[in-house]
Amino acid sequence: MAEYPGFSELPVREGAPPGSSWGVFGDDDELGTVNFITDADVRAAAALVKRGVVFALNWDLSLPSPAFFLRGTVRHTVFEKYPGVAIDDYVDSFWPQASSQWDGLRHIAAPDVGFYNGASLAEVSQPGAGRLGIEKWGERGIVGRGVLIDVLASAERAGGSIDPFEFFAIGPDVIERIAGEQGVEIRGGDILILRTGWVEAYERLHQCEREEYAELVRPGSPGLYGDDIPAFLWDNRIAAVAADNPALEAGHHGKGCDLALHRSLIALLGVPLGELWDVQHLAHDCAADGRYEFLLTSAPLRLGGGVGSPPNALALK
């Protein structure tokens, strides 16, 4: 197994910004922490499939509707290609980051220092295959051991609850506590998935409530929060992290977006961030059989120069 520096030892490349992994996986790396997943990790994750049940983690492509963050809602057209013989279809206003998604390494820069591994705005802002494009993950695939951290269920077990539409900070202490409650160990190469209950709560809203909610600068939600998150994920060799909320970070209802973790995780460390994943059915199964680990497969789009992608994610148990 490769040896990597601890977070406190970063950066390793002269001139790289503090807290960055630039150069750790090579000066030309475009995969980021996906590199933490080894062949042995994939083999071990495949052995977790005991019952052969499959849970699709992509949400309905048309949700949320209206879309958040100035994005559009998908429009789907079905038509007769050859009358009476063949049906075809096409999609307009398809925003790869409007519903379930991976935020790719082109998605955001760190202030004054640029994009992951030192890429410039000019290198990542052109369409077509290029530096840090989502096609790099699409060509490789993201496959490994998934671990569900069920924040909502933990609160309910304690006799309380969390409001999926209000700020609730999930820090390393919360993640470690819940992992202990669930009897699951966090390991290098893992793909962490957080359940806050946001998707489920959104599905219960009436359309008029959804329209009002979409007008907010920032939908409120529980999520990751804290300056100690980057070190926790890096030192535990977490390959990727996803959640069922709109922005991964915890957010205050209606206020501007705090994207500090987006910048430190994507631009500085190269961590894939997943948002709006539909994990409710997986969570119920994990609670039923007491197993919160599974094989996770994800096939991001091979879209040259893409900034993000639906995860096309499956959990197999």
Side-chain angles (χ1 to χ4, degrees):
M1 179 181 294
E3 293 293 330
Y4 295 107
F7 186 81
S8 64
E9 300 171 288
L10 298 176
V12 299
R13 190 168 80 196
E14 185 177 354
S20 77
S21 66
W22 298 5
V24 170
F25 305 114
D27 288 341
D28 297 324
D29 178 63
E30 300 180 73
L31 297 177
T33 53
V34 173
N35 284 292
F36 282 147
I37 305 174
T38 67
D39 294 347
D41 292 332
V42 176
R43 291 194 298 271
L48 296 173
V49 182
K50 308 295 186 184
R51 293 155 48 216
V53 294
V54 180
F55 298 92
L57 306 183
N58 272 38
W59 201 17
D60 185 325
L61 194 62
S62 66
L63 295 175
S65 179
F68 297 141
F69 308 125
L70 304 178
R71 294 168 177 148
T73 302
V74 68
R75 297 191 301 271
H76 183 210
T77 300
V78 178
F79 65 97
E80 288 186 82
K81 185 173 183 179
Y82 302 113
V85 177
I87 300 295
D88 216 334
D89 65 347
Y90 60 91
V91 170
D92 287 315
S93 189
F94 171 52
W95 296 64
Q97 293 165 278
S99 187
S100 299
Q101 66 190 270
W102 283 121
D103 285 345
L105 298 183
R106 283 189 167 196
H107 181 52
I108 198 165
D112 303 321
V113 299
F115 294 80
Y116 174 69
N117 227 0
S120 67
L121 177 62
E123 290 178 299
V124 303
S125 59
Q126 299 299 317
R131 193 170 181 190
L132 304 185
I134 200 73
E135 74 274 12
K136 302 302 190 302
W137 290 344
E139 291 163 1
R140 184 194 185 281
I142 300 175
V143 178
R145 178 182 183 247
V147 172
L148 178 71
I149 301 296
D150 196 335
V151 182
L152 177 62
S154 175
E156 292 172 343
R157 282 194 301 270
S161 64
I162 58 175
D163 186 337
F165 296 131
E166 293 295 341
F167 179 92
F168 178 84
I170 301 171
D173 57 334
V174 174
I175 294 172
E176 291 179 324
R177 174 178 56 78
I178 295 174
E181 291 174 3
Q182 297 175 169
V184 64
E185 178 188 6
I186 295 174
R187 303 171 188 160
D190 282 351
I191 301 161
L192 288 188
I193 302 176
L194 310 178
R195 179 192 180 215
T196 69
W198 193 94
V199 160
E200 298 146 76
Y202 182 88
E203 289 180 346
R204 294 191 292 267
L205 296 178
H206 295 293
Q207 185 59 31
C208 60
E209 295 174 299
R210 295 179 182 183
E211 290 172 359
E212 292 175 359
Y213 204 50
E215 294 178 358
L216 298 173
V217 175
R218 171 66 161 92
S221 73
L224 291 182
Y225 194 81
D227 294 338
D228 49 357
I229 290 288
F232 172 78
L233 296 179
W234 179 265
D235 287 339
N236 280 284
R237 306 296 184 250
I238 300 303
V241 59
D244 60 350
N245 65 5
L248 191 68
E249 290 105 330
H252 289 281
H253 190 75
K255 294 186 178 180
C257 296
D258 177 0
L259 297 177
L261 281 180
H262 265 62
R263 296 185 178 98
S264 60
L265 296 181
I266 295 176
L268 297 184
L269 293 179
V271 183
L273 303 188
E275 297 156 345
L276 293 173
W277 287 32
D278 184 2
V279 301
Q280 54 189 308
H281 303 297
L282 170 64
H284 296 322
D285 189 80
C286 289
D289 73 0
R291 295 177 60 234
Y292 290 83
E293 59 178 355
F294 40 85
L295 171 65
L296 187 135
T297 70
S298 172
L301 297 177
R302 293 187 64 174
L303 174 63
V307 175
S309 171
N312 300 313
L314 302 173
L316 296 86
K317 298 184 68 185

